[in-house]
Amino acid sequence: MTEQQPKGRGRLRSLLPGPADLHAARRSPGRDLVAGLTVAVVALPLALAFGVASGLGAEAGLTTAVIAGIIAAVFGGSNLQISGPTGAMTVVLLPVVHDFGAQGVLLVGVMAGIILVALAVSGIGRAVRLLPTSLIEGFTAGIAVVIVLQQVPSMLGLDPGEGEQVWAIAGDAVARWTTDIDVTPLLMTLGVAAVILLGARLLPAVPASILVIIVATLIAEFFDLGLPTIGAIPAGIPAPTADFIDLSAVAALIPSALAVAALAALESLLCATVADSMSVNERHDPDRELLGQGLANIAVPFFGGVPATAAIARTAVNVRAGARSRIAAITHSLVLLVVIYAASGLVGHVPLAALAGVLLATCVQMIGFGSIWAFVRATRADAIVLILTFAITVAVDLVTAVVVGVIVAALLALGSVSRSARLEQVPLEEDRGDHSAEELALLSDRIVAYRFDGPLFFGAAHRFLLELTGVSDVDVVILRMSRISTLDATGATILDDAVRRLEARGIAVLISGVDPVHSRVLRTLDVAPHLRETGRVFEHTPQAITYARELVAGR
């Protein structure tokens, strides 16, 4: 049963906040406030880290977490989502920073937001459900590796250096580090990551990430380790400005905007699906979620923030903390806002190596090693898609990886479906059990019935043509079409070609069991119209066998 989408004004109203949101907010406001505070503690170091990793700085990460977090919560399609800067987005943004600077990133954010709103209105959100899980696992693992490679300079206490590909930047940092080795930042990174990972396993209720960041900062200050830090950030949200808008740069930024919009849509809808699976009686609206993310990304750049998307890790924390409504996400953003105004001076002392440790731990948690191994062993197609997507994500970029992964997955699925389709010769005894032995012998010698099983479409049609026209030593061929699941224009055209080739060899062709939908396709494409005109198309196969017997007897 398909979902019926409202149209016109009803469609637009369905995308906007409504009474159901208020009803959800009244269920457990206390639990939502506690959940929001819990998520804020986890989100603070991530917002700082992803802001720095994006190339726009910690301030941009915090601004995004506050503004995008509130707007996406109010207008999004999930009661449980937490939105803000994410590691996957930094992977896409770094090339934009390199080629167009910070102003280009801000303009890309607005353009991507507009694209997301258009996608929401078009109702395309449900299409994301069609992506293969092996592709999602592949690029998620690839993103994690890319983020780790991005952090290698910070892990080693060095500046980012030059280069476009993350593996080249990481290699350059390692080469520079070996000329003047300092293990202090590396030890801090590994220590922070280890504490977070062990804390998540042994004491999941304790906010290990924020605690270890505080401890690492105090150690760096007390022992005067001289590690690079975030640096000073303004004590407040920047005033809105539109100075970054440059219409002459729009055309050059379209590919990047499409990439950001695609990633934001994909990650947000996948995150919402995960949130639904972790909760009871929750179901997100994918198109409304795209609207919320679109509006958030349109607004954030005017305050200097980076493009945002829903964050799986923070959303999972929100669900586990007992969130029931959007109040939790709004609370999380308001708590971060308080931090910006009341503790920005303290935040500036956080070592970059400690933030690198937070991201390293996050990346380890992102990779589902068990599920990846299961997919690799499941089928050859899943293994190919996962490994290919992973490799291209690391070696080239995320968008190319997704595009190639989708194409390869589609081709492999197409091949699998076409191989599952069969053209099978069936014994006529199944349909005419009342024949005498002589009649059956006559039918078996001079009449053959073929049954199509599965789809008759462009992926399998030519194989059918070769098999069907190889028939010999018969007078009548009955084509049984009741089990055809799909019939497209190519399949119909090939069927017409097969009929004409058989008749050119003096073989009569009868058709039985055509589905009404498929019959319309055949009529529209004018496939073998003479068969209908001469009464050689039958509703049931027994009728076709009787007619075939009469034809053979009359020859």
Side-chain angles (χ1 to χ4, degrees), residues 124-266:
I124 204 172
R126 290 162 178 78
V128 174
R129 298 170 180 171
L130 302 177
L131 289 177
T133 308
S134 54
L135 182 147
I136 296 166
E137 290 284 349
F139 82 69
T140 300
I143 287 170
V145 171
V146 169
I147 294 171
V148 171
L149 293 175
Q150 286 176 352
Q151 297 307 304
V152 169
S154 294
M155 293 179 188
L156 303 177
L158 303 173
D159 61 79
E162 296 295 329
E164 295 187 11
Q165 298 295 343
V166 290
W167 47 267
I169 294 174
D172 173 69
V174 171
R176 288 185 285 133
W177 182 69
T178 55
T179 63
D180 184 17
I181 295 177
D182 179 6
V183 298
T184 303
L186 182 59
L187 290 176
M188 177 169 283
T189 295
L190 297 177
V192 168
V195 170
I196 293 174
L197 293 173
L198 288 174
R201 178 177 292 273
L202 302 177
L203 300 169
V206 176
S209 59
I210 190 67
L211 293 178
V212 74
I213 283 290
I214 293 173
V215 172
T217 303
L218 291 175
I219 290 174
E221 290 290 319
F222 183 79
F223 291 100
D224 193 21
L225 298 179
L227 298 177
T229 62
I230 290 175
I233 61 175
I237 298 292
T241 177
D243 292 343
F244 64 89
I245 295 180
D246 179 7
L247 297 181
S248 64
V250 169
L253 290 172
I254 287 176
S256 298
L258 290 172
V260 170
L263 178 59
L266 185 64

Side-chain angles (χ1 to χ4, degrees), residues 16-346:
L16 297 175
D21 300 332
L22 295 176
H23 176 72
R26 295 192 189 102
R27 287 185 295 189
S28 304
R31 292 177 62 181
D32 287 328
L33 292 173
V34 173
L37 178 60
T38 303
V39 175
V41 171
V42 175
L44 176 59
L46 291 176
L48 294 172
F50 289 136
V52 173
S54 71
L56 268 69
E59 177 193 4
L62 285 173
T63 299
T64 301
V66 172
I67 296 176
I70 293 175
I71 295 176
V74 172
F75 292 96
S78 170
N79 287 322
L80 307 174
Q81 292 262 62
I82 303 293
S83 297
T86 63
M89 191 61 76
T90 65
V91 175
V92 178
L93 294 180
L94 275 181
V96 181
V97 175
H98 182 271
D99 296 335
F100 301 97
Q103 303 297 309
V105 172
L106 301 180
L107 184 54
V108 161
V110 173
M111 294 168 63
I114 294 172
I115 294 171
L116 287 170
V117 171
L119 293 176
V121 174
S122 71
I124 204 172
R126 290 162 178 78
V128 174
R129 298 170 180 171
L130 302 177
L131 289 177
T133 308
S134 54
L135 182 147
I136 296 166
E137 290 284 349
F139 82 69
T140 300
I143 287 170
V145 171
V146 169
I147 294 171
V148 171
L149 293 175
Q150 286 176 352
Q151 297 307 304
V152 169
S154 294
M155 293 179 188
L156 303 177
L158 303 173
D159 61 79
E162 296 295 329
E164 295 187 11
Q165 298 295 343
V166 290
W167 47 267
I169 294 174
D172 173 69
V174 171
R176 288 185 285 133
W177 182 69
T178 55
T179 63
D180 184 17
I181 295 177
D182 179 6
V183 298
T184 303
L186 182 59
L187 290 176
M188 177 169 283
T189 295
L190 297 177
V192 168
V195 170
I196 293 174
L197 293 173
L198 288 174
R201 178 177 292 273
L202 302 177
L203 300 169
V206 176
S209 59
I210 190 67
L211 293 178
V212 74
I213 283 290
I214 293 173
V215 172
T217 303
L218 291 175
I219 290 174
E221 290 290 319
F222 183 79
F223 291 100
D224 193 21
L225 298 179
L227 298 177
T229 62
I230 290 175
I233 61 175
I237 298 292
T241 177
D243 292 343
F244 64 89
I245 295 180
D246 179 7
L247 297 181
S248 64
V250 169
L253 290 172
I254 287 176
S256 298
L258 290 172
V260 170
L263 178 59
L266 185 64
E267 192 168 12
S268 296
L269 295 178
L270 291 176
C271 181
T273 302
V274 171
D276 289 350
S277 66
M278 294 177 62
S279 55
V280 179
N281 297 326
E282 286 290 343
R283 186 182 183 191
H284 73 282
D285 182 332
D287 294 319
R288 185 177 167 187
E289 181 60 30
L290 292 181
L291 176 68
Q293 297 297 333
L295 294 177
N297 279 291
I298 290 173
V300 161
F302 290 95
F303 296 88
V306 297
T309 179
I312 294 178
R314 278 159 274 179
T315 298
V317 171
N318 192 41
V319 176
R320 293 193 195 102
R324 301 289 298 279
S325 77
R326 301 160 195 270
I327 290 178
I330 296 172
T331 300
H332 133 273
S333 293
L334 293 178
V335 171
L336 294 179
L337 185 63
V338 171
V339 171
I340 292 174
Y341 280 96
S344 60
L346 297 176

